Amino acid sequence: MDNDTFPKRVSPGFCLIPREDGIPRAIIPQETPGDYFEEARILAASGGRFLGLWAAGAPEPRICTAFLLREGLFVLVLPLSSPEGRQTFPSLSSFLPAVDRFERSVRDLFGFTPEGLEDTRPWISQGLWSVPPLSSPPGTCIPETPRADLREYPFVPVFGPGVHEIPVGPVHAGIIEPGHFRFQVVGEKVLRLEERLGYTHKGVDGLFRSRDISSGARLAARISGDSTVACSIAFAQAVEQALDFTPAAGVRFLRALLLERERIANHLGDLGALGNDAGLGFGLSQFGRLKEDLLRRNRTHFGVRYLFDLVAPGGVRATLDDTAIRDLLDENRILSAEVAELQKIYDDHGGLQDRFQNTGVLLPEVARRLGAGGVVGRASAQAWDLRADHGGDPYRRFPPALALAHEGDVAARVLIRFLEIQESLVLARALLEHLPENSIAEPLPDNPETAEGLGIVEGFRGEVLAWVRLSPGGVIRAAHIQEPSALLWPALEVVVPGNLVADFPLINKSFNLSYSGHDL
Amino acid sequence: MWKLLVKIFRTGRLTEKRSRPVTPPPTPGFGRSLAIRHVDAGSCNGCELELLALENPYYALSSDGAKFVASPRHADLLIVTGPVTKAMKEPLTKTLEGIPEPRRVLALGDCACDGGIFRDSYAVLNGAPQVIPVDHRLPGCPPTPDEIRRAILQSFTLARTGRE
Ligand code: SF4
């Protein structure tokens, strides 16, 4: 990191305070669009990873842009009220290609114009509404575009001898979320892939407005069901930062434990599905069995199979007694041995490795440029893991080893999942053995003034980020949750060309991105 | 290879024996075989996770005679999850049109029943019954695989339970 430029440029009046409950997180207000652009450019040039861009509407229109540095999380906030009532902001696309879809989404939903963004196509709203839906106050009826369904989305065309297009979706053949893929192929080979998403857009940012904290937490838990714990912790952290509240050690331990259980369950599911997509049904049955065992234990000890609504701002709704801890430690031991055994079988299986290796390669350099994090990033040599880097307690006490691979192919993403399951099991064991006296949710303090906070955790897919702005009395004025899928979908587009059409399901599964978390 | 075979042998048979809660009905039905088409109309993917669980060795839904199919043309039952977003309205109705009669529709999860937590957002239509005729509803967020299995078995019969 470039120490000469970075700290000096950062706006006055802010400092990074180390936190007990996670990495340092700072909101940096920007006065002018020029400052905002410059600050973002410097953060990006100092090795900051762009994590997301979102907006809040009237009465406090603003643009927020997040960067993750090794030092902590920075969110630049640019208020959008110029005397002329102009609602524009400078596009960062000139140095940050990844902002494209984020800025288009802001234009779609809020009507704020990113100046300098070349792509004028709608993204998240699919052009369904004739006015930006979040530009009006909650409860207003939003007029729909007449016959919007007849409008064709202008996919980038590819011409040439033998090129043809394959449209896929939005409804897919299996039990999966909806989204559209447009392949341009020659013979069996993909020349270009373009995604069209937004089918699961539910207006989550709009639904957050005017909710109280606890119903906001229920909504946050449903941003993407597979990441419910991660989204809930990020949201809780954001509320807690806004209210200047630090949860007790017992709460932080239990949250960390729940997060690892979510990670393990998802990785088990993915490993099974990856085996199956490469023709080994055995993998699906075996990993499906292990995942089901884990979910049933969740039900026994936490009351639910998927860990919805257990993490609440201020605490956790779970306790573990000695018998439960013993049982979970037993499970931990068995799971570790079983997964090691299955890993050996996967490694030795020639047919499987043949499909996995050199398929869907994301080169480390490309991963860096796209800012890919999480499992996908780590499989392409991007050494970012909030737990290993600078997580607060309990990660500081039991830092998990960073799983890293360099090949960037499906095999590498499979390997990362195997490594992370084992590492998660080690961490979970340490947490169980050192679990402080449990303490359940504590009452949150009141906020007499408007308050703002950030939260970020390493979910099973990558970094999940949350931002909330609270009115006095704990009413949510605006909130946003950024799930890592939004950053990783463009990486999938880059990876697929050059591969066979038939390998797409396998590559797609090795990414396992959320549509709901992207579309919000 | 032998390691794999040993593992299969040691794991044994895990599918849980369950009695069918409905005896084969005297009324017309789908007999002993039911083909299911699932459409995610904007769920959070929680309901999908539990639908997928039905295919694991413990539940092995196919041993009940029900299986998921890729084309609506092959389907008897449509399972809808999610609150039905505006963007999914048309794909959902088109999928239903593709399913030959007789057919049944199951709204699965709180979202599909009435919009659930996403109810009254500008972007959702407050559940499947607002968009297509629904025969069965299964609330829950998400419902458990056992509950889903029971609801699916119910759909083997053509008897109507609360069609809109
Ligand atoms: S019912 Fe619950 S689990 Fe199912 S899609 Fe809706 S929010 Fe997700």
Side-chain angles (χ1 to χ4, degrees):
Chain A
M1 196 208 99
D2 189 347
N3 272 319
D4 286 343
T5 51
F6 165 60
K8 263 184 271 156
R9 266 295 299 160
V10 167
S11 319
F14 108 92
C15 56
L16 271 186
I17 305 163
R19 301 184 62 89
E20 278 289 290
D21 65 339
I23 70 165
R25 326 188 270 276
I27 292 172
I28 316 176
Q30 303 297 303
E31 287 192 352
T32 67
D35 287 352
Y36 161 80
F37 184 85
E38 209 28 42
E39 206 78 69
R41 207 184 51 74
I42 289 170
L43 284 173
S46 331
R49 264 181 57 214
F50 169 69
L51 280 195
L53 183 150
W54 63 94
E60 299 170 316
R62 52 190 60 218
I63 294 287
C64 308
T65 305
F67 289 90
L68 181 66
L69 277 80
R70 298 288 176 190
E71 289 76 5
L73 172 69
F74 296 84
V75 172
L76 306 177
V77 177
L78 173 69
L80 289 184
S81 34
S82 68
E84 317 89 72
R86 262 196 332 146
Q87 300 205 311
T88 61
F89 61 100
S91 167
L92 307 180
S93 54
S94 55
F95 60 90
L96 209 62
V99 298
D100 177 85
R101 289 173 179 176
F102 293 87
E103 292 184 345
R104 284 160 72 194
S105 301
V106 165
R107 181 175 54 204
D108 283 3
L109 298 179
F110 295 89
F112 307 151
T113 313
E115 280 182 322
L117 182 69
E118 279 171 16
D119 200 335
T120 54
R121 298 173 297 171
W123 178 242
I124 209 86
S125 74
Q126 301 197 348
L128 283 173
W129 293 277
S130 54
V131 296
L134 291 175
S135 61
S136 342
T140 325
C141 177
I142 317 288
E144 283 176 45
T145 316
R147 305 304 298 144
D149 49 318
L150 293 181
R151 283 226 309 256
E152 267 286 314
Y153 181 75
F155 289 99
V156 177
V158 174
F159 300 106
V163 179
H164 66 285
E165 273 197 351
I166 310 179
V168 178
V171 179
H172 299 296
I175 304 175
I176 353 176
E177 297 177 74
H180 185 94
F181 301 109
R182 188 64 60 99
F183 298 91
Q184 277 111 3
V185 299
V186 166
E188 278 291 289
K189 212 168 225 174
V190 181
L191 286 180
R192 191 169 186 285
L193 160 66
E194 190 171 344
E195 297 149 0
R196 190 192 185 192
L197 302 174
Y199 290 94
T200 71
H201 175 63
K202 297 181 273 287
V204 169
D205 282 8
L207 283 170
F208 269 125
R209 295 181 297 186
S210 317
R211 277 183 186 244
D212 61 29
I213 289 174
S214 66
S215 103
R218 268 183 62 78
L219 180 61
R222 285 156 183 80
I223 299 290
S224 179
D226 52 13
S227 299
T228 178
V229 176
C231 294
S232 298
I233 297 179
F235 180 81
Q237 283 183 349
V239 169
E240 287 157 6
Q241 185 181 29
L243 300 179
D244 208 3
F245 170 92
T246 310
V251 170
R252 296 200 299 269
F253 269 63
L254 270 173
R255 283 182 184 176
L257 180 70
L258 295 173
L259 188 62
E260 293 316 310
R261 292 188 73 77
E262 178 171 279
R263 187 183 325 277
I264 296 168
N266 279 305
H267 282 359
L268 289 173
D270 287 349
L271 286 170
L274 279 160
N276 195 46
D277 278 355
L280 187 68
F282 163 86
L284 187 66
S285 322
Q286 291 288 338
F287 283 105
R289 159 180 82 89
L290 296 178
K291 181 175 178 184
E292 180 68 23
D293 287 340
L294 188 141
L295 296 176
R296 289 182 176 194
R297 275 214 169 69
N298 279 351
R299 174 111 199 207
T300 312
H301 300 303
F302 303 106
V304 275
R305 288 162 53 85
Y306 284 95
L307 305 165
F308 283 91
D309 302 324
L310 292 182
V311 174
V316 274
R317 295 198 187 90
T319 44
L320 289 176
D321 57 23
D322 286 345
T323 359
I325 291 176
R326 254 196 316 274
D327 182 52
L328 290 176
L329 283 169
D330 283 346
E331 174 205 32
N332 193 296
R333 216 184 39 251
I334 296 167
L335 200 52
S336 172
E338 291 257 15
V339 171
E341 192 184 352
L342 291 175
Q343 183 177 8
K344 187 93 186 62
I345 292 177
Y346 267 35
D347 285 350
D348 292 348
H349 197 288
L352 207 56
Q353 292 305 322
D354 188 48
R355 292 288 307 276
F356 285 173
Q357 286 173 13
N358 300 316
T359 306
V361 178
L362 178 64
L363 293 171
E365 175 44 34
V366 181
R368 197 191 56 75
R369 195 155 34 83
L370 293 172
V375 170
V376 171
R378 289 191 285 276
S380 296
Q382 304 307 300
W384 294 82
D385 182 336
L386 290 174
R387 302 168 304 152
D389 285 349
H390 43 195
D393 191 44
Y395 301 112
R396 255 196 303 253
R397 276 175 68 190
F398 314 107
L402 179 86
L404 203 64
H406 293 79
E407 291 76 11
D409 53 4
V410 173
R413 293 187 278 277
V414 167
L415 173 68
I416 294 289
R417 289 188 169 93
F418 272 118
L419 294 174
E420 290 193 358
I421 290 180
Q422 295 294 1
E423 212 44 57
S424 289
L425 287 169
V426 174
L427 175 58
R429 196 178 314 142
L431 292 170
L432 286 166
E433 280 164 357
H434 298 88
L435 202 63
E437 266 310 292
N438 287 243
S439 50
I440 324 207
E442 286 176 53
L444 287 167
D446 207 9
N447 56 319
E449 283 166 25
T450 308
E452 207 165 327
L454 296 168
I456 185 167
V457 288
E458 188 74 34
F460 90 96
R461 210 178 260 122
E463 297 94 352
V464 178
L465 183 146
W467 168 80
V468 276
R469 196 165 159 80
L470 296 174
S471 301
V475 177
I476 298 171
R477 193 171 287 186
H480 181 80
I481 296 202
Q482 190 68 59
E483 210 266 350
S485 301
L487 277 173
L488 294 170
W489 277 112
L492 184 67
E493 275 184 354
V494 173
V495 158
V496 170
N499 290 270
L500 304 183
V501 182
D503 275 334
F504 175 72
L506 184 65
I507 301 171
N508 190 23
K509 192 72 227 175
S510 75
F511 274 62
N512 185 19
L513 303 179
S514 167
Y515 299 69
S516 180
H518 167 280
D519 296 346
L520 293 181
Chain B
M1 191 65 197
W2 61 269
K3 274 206 194 91
L4 190 151
L5 295 173
V6 170
K7 185 75 189 164
I8 293 176
F9 182 72
R10 283 228 194 95
T11 307
R13 190 189 152 97
L14 297 171
T15 307
E16 291 160 338
K17 286 227 163 43
R18 296 183 181 85
S19 57
R20 288 172 67 107
V22 278
T23 41
T27 47
F30 294 108
R32 296 200 156 271
S33 151
L34 183 79
I36 308 169
R37 178 65 248 216
H38 161 246
V39 171
D40 175 338
S43 84
C44 80
N45 78 32
C47 285
E48 278 62 45
L49 293 173
E50 292 297 38
L51 267 177
L52 281 169
L54 286 174
E55 294 194 323
N56 78 32
Y58 286 94
Y59 300 100
L61 187 67
S62 49
S63 66
D64 290 312
K67 64 164 194 286
F68 290 94
V69 293
S71 167
R73 300 264 181 242
H74 304 158
D76 306 310
L77 170 69
L78 175 68
I79 294 187
V80 186
T81 56
V84 190
T85 57
K86 293 228 162 115
M88 279 309 288
K89 178 182 174 184
E90 201 201 332
L92 176 64
T93 41
K94 280 201 171 155
T95 307
L96 183 70
E97 281 164 20
I99 302 180
E101 291 273 7
R103 62 188 180 208
R104 281 292 168 266
V105 178
L106 166 64
L108 191 145
D110 287 353
C111 285
C113 289
D114 65 0
I117 186 121
F118 305 107
R119 197 179 164 81
D120 294 335
S121 163
Y122 64 87
V124 309
L125 297 165
N126 293 343
Q130 304 293 328
V131 182
I132 54 172
V134 164
D135 303 285
H136 307 285
R137 296 157 188 241
L138 177 62
C141 185
T144 63
D146 277 319
E147 290 164 346
I148 302 176
R149 181 178 169 272
R150 270 198 297 276
I152 289 176
L153 292 179
Q154 214 179 46
S155 312
F156 271 77
T157 143
L158 277 169
R160 303 194 164 197
T161 55
R163 185 168 185 140
E164 297 292 297

